Amino acid sequence: MQQSKIRLSGQQADPEFFRFEERGELDYELVLDVLHGRRLGVIFRDVIPTAARKELTERFWASPARQHREGEPSHYVGAYHWNKDADTYLDESAEVAEHVQQVIDAPNSPWHEFRQGVDEALRQEGASLRVARMNGRSACAALIRAWDKEGDFSLDPHEDEAQCKDPRQAGFEIQRVLDHQICAVNMCTEHSAGGRLVIWNIRPDDATRRSLDIELTGLPYQAEALADFEELRLDIREGDVYAFNGAFVHAVDANTGNRTTVSFIMGFTDPRTVVSWT
């Protein structure tokens, strides 16, 4: 007997919200719109200088801290908080901190420029951006990663909200972001072909997560169930920087060659503080 398809429940956005703004230069007020939940996402085209892309990518591939991860993505420098207790994540973040800085401290670094711009925009409303902390220990500043996984998706459909509910991370300030919006930030420094960002108009609820047994991981969502919802597919190219609400299910479709990005997640913990982690 054929098993019935699981139907996803949660919030869907109206058409005016469910779209990306595109700009040819950085506009940090648009990023603040994502942080405040006023828009789904924004993509800034070709804003990373060519020399900076090349230098940062070369530093990534040459890093002695680069690791291989089974599945997706294939290679990374940094630390994942996903599916770990807080101490493990913070230990890993400390171990790799100098190596991460070595990569992102490239001349004209998009990581530094973007964060400085967001922080200056936040200060106009009495807030600021910093790396998340717990008991005097810092989260990872950035996750630099590359993947070329075969199949329908290079990065499987997932959302970034569920993983912030993990009770093993109780007391870690990133859990307070759940009262606000989760903003995923990606800076593309190397890209061959394919690898579009795919985002579906569904922000799953806990009932859906429980039915899929992914309440604390947010991964994976099946393409068959997502077919019920409107989707956006955005071409991503070298030099692009994009930010979007990571609570909506999203993925990266198949690509050839390497797709290398500098990434982090950020969100308000209170009206005066935005924190980031990986």
Side-chain angles (χ1 to χ4, degrees), residues 34-264:
V34 179
L35 278 167
H36 284 295
R38 296 190 288 257
R39 69 175 67 248
L40 176 65
V42 58
I43 183 165
F44 305 110
R45 297 291 191 185
D46 198 28
V47 293
I48 306 174
T50 302
R53 297 177 215 168
K54 184 174 183 293
E55 176 69 19
L56 200 149
T57 301
E58 288 178 352
R59 289 183 180 209
F60 164 69
W61 287 110
S63 174
R66 179 169 55 84
Q67 299 186 57
H68 180 267
R69 192 184 196 205
E70 294 298 329
E72 44 69 27
S74 298
H75 298 270
Y76 70 98
V77 175
Y80 288 86
H81 90 108
W82 183 82
N83 203 24
K84 293 173 183 169
D85 63 80
D87 284 339
T88 297
Y89 170 62
L90 294 169
D91 285 346
E92 292 177 353
S93 297
E95 289 169 3
V96 79
E98 290 186 9
H99 295 287
V100 169
Q101 289 298 327
Q102 171 60 27
V103 176
I104 62 177
D105 283 350
N108 299 310
S109 167
W111 185 90
H112 286 289
E113 179 179 359
F114 183 87
R115 291 180 69 95
Q116 180 180 346
V118 170
D119 187 61
E120 290 175 355
L122 284 168
R123 289 184 183 280
Q124 298 302 308
E125 55 183 57
S128 62
L129 168 65
R130 61 169 171 79
V131 173
R133 297 191 294 255
M134 182 178 180
N135 299 328
R137 305 163 72 194
S138 294
C140 191
L143 182 68
I144 309 98
R145 53 188 176 173
W147 60 87
D148 60 354
K149 181 183 172 188
E150 295 181 355
D152 292 336
F153 298 103
S154 297
L155 187 59
D156 291 328
H158 66 285
E159 40 87 7
D160 300 326
E161 193 170 57
Q163 58 193 278
C164 292
K165 298 172 179 281
D166 197 323
R168 293 174 297 173
Q169 297 183 7
F172 193 10
E173 62 182 344
I174 69 172
Q175 296 196 329
R176 300 206 301 273
V177 174
L178 293 170
D179 295 328
H180 305 275
Q181 306 295 328
I182 289 181
C183 178
V185 179
N186 292 271
M187 307 166 185
C188 188
T189 65
E190 179 185 27
H191 194 75
S192 297
R196 293 172 297 179
L197 172 67
V198 189
I199 187 164
W200 289 268
N201 191 1
I202 180 63
R203 183 174 181 162
D205 55 20
D206 282 338
T208 284
R209 297 181 184 115
R210 282 192 294 270
S211 71
L212 297 172
D213 196 26
I214 58 172
E215 194 169 3
L216 301 179
T217 61
L219 175 79
Y221 289 88
Q222 299 301 321
E224 181 184 29
L226 293 168
D228 294 336
F229 303 96
E230 179 186 3
E231 68 177 46
L232 297 174
R233 290 184 181 250
L234 290 94
D235 288 322
I236 305 298
R237 300 183 286 270
E238 283 186 19
D240 292 348
V241 173
Y242 56 103
F244 63 95
N245 191 316
F248 287 80
V249 179
H250 55 282
V252 174
D253 70 5
N255 65 284
T256 58
N258 288 307
R259 184 183 190 277
T260 303
T261 63
V262 180
S263 306
F264 56 87

